[in-house]
Amino acid sequence: MTTLITEGGPVTADATVTRIGGVPLAPPGTAWPSCADCGGPLQFLAQFVLDGSGAAVTGGPGQQDRLLALFACQNRPGVCQDWEARSGANLALILPAQGLAPIPLPVPSDPDEGEPDDESDESDEDDVLLLGATRAAEPQLLPEAQNFDSARAAWAARTGRPRNHVLGQLNGTPAWLQYDQTPNCATCAEPMRLAVQLQEGPDHLTAMNFGSGRAYAFTCSPCADAAFLWQC
Ligand SMILES: [Zn+2]
Ligand SMILES: [Zn+2]
């Protein structure tokens, strides 16, 4: 059994639903997270509704318990190590599902103090912090599929839609591009469970940057711990 997520069309940027892009939500007063490598603000990637066990919700009302929010640094692609779990250049945050508000964008740094080669203006800076589109991610259960790749092929064949409309999968077994990098929980040291696997997205203008690879977010429910990494 595999649960894919597929391109579900535009959705409100601050919706409390499973989505790629849009604006990050957090308890009021939360500051925009920054990168431990470069000190700059992280890019907001996506959020996923989790149930009480820390698994991604795959449909049906009344299960919303928490949100998983994912961020990664895009200030210096290839330099800040946002592909490494717990590098500080990415962030996987577990939040309560209620009482959240959009995190205000950080104030851009003073242009007079910027580096001489910094040609970015304010709108360019926003582009680095937010994706160019907000997409709903629709769960698609494929009971017969053995793994992500066979599920993706079966879905594309059944619907006639392109394979790149598959945005990833929820829960289940990671389809690694390299070796198994399942992280251990920082609190209990047990192997963590896949909550979501992500593709970059169908449109390169609005895509997440995983070096043309795949990203993986893991949770440990009892400890409310989460970790994020990508491979290419
Ligand atoms: Zn950085
Ligand atoms: Zn744990």
Side-chain angles (χ1 to χ4, degrees):
M1 182 182 87
T2 300
T3 305
L4 298 178
I5 42 175
T6 60
E7 165 74 50
V11 67
T12 316
D14 63 353
T16 312
V17 299
T18 288
R19 57 177 159 86
I20 316 294
V23 299
L25 305 176
T30 301
W32 195 282
S34 58
C35 172
D37 279 355
C38 70
L42 297 179
Q43 182 181 60
F44 173 65
L45 301 179
Q47 80 178 15
F48 299 88
V49 180
L50 304 182
D51 66 18
S53 78
V57 169
T58 57
Q63 299 175 300
Q64 298 201 356
D65 191 74
R66 289 177 258 178
L67 288 185
L68 172 65
L70 303 177
F71 297 82
C73 183
Q74 279 299 300
N75 300 313
R76 302 186 304 173
V79 180
C80 295
Q81 300 193 355
D82 62 304
W83 54 86
E84 289 279 358
R86 310 188 199 286
S87 63
N90 67 45
L91 180 65
L93 264 184
I94 292 186
L95 302 162
Q98 310 297 329
L100 304 179
I103 306 178
L105 283 166
V107 178
S109 50
D110 187 336
D112 293 339
E113 295 176 7
E115 294 159 21
D117 62 349
D118 183 4
E119 292 173 359
S120 67
D121 60 25
E122 191 172 331
S123 61
D124 285 347
E125 207 157 300
D126 288 357
D127 289 347
V128 174
L129 302 187
L130 300 171
L131 301 179
T134 311
R135 307 174 191 286
E138 272 182 12
Q140 309 278 353
L141 179 64
L142 283 89
E144 74 286 359
Q146 297 297 311
N147 58 45
F148 171 75
D149 292 290
S150 64
R152 183 169 61 162
W155 180 83
R158 192 181 74 205
T159 61
R161 290 175 62 185
R163 278 188 194 206
N164 68 7
H165 282 203
V166 175
L167 304 175
Q169 66 171 336
L170 302 178
N171 309 316
T173 306
W176 297 109
L177 292 176
Q178 306 292 338
Y179 55 99
D180 183 340
Q181 287 189 293
T182 302
N184 293 329
C185 173
T187 303
C188 72
E190 291 294 318
M192 299 177 81
R193 202 169 57 171
L194 184 73
V196 57
Q197 175 187 317
L198 288 171
Q199 307 292 114
E200 290 190 335
D203 172 2
H204 74 277
L205 289 175
T206 61
M208 300 173 278
N209 180 7
F210 307 138
S212 300
R214 295 173 179 175
Y216 311 84
F218 294 82
T219 58
C220 180
S221 176
C223 307
D225 188 31
F228 177 72
L229 63 105
W230 57 262
Q231 295 184 344
C232 63

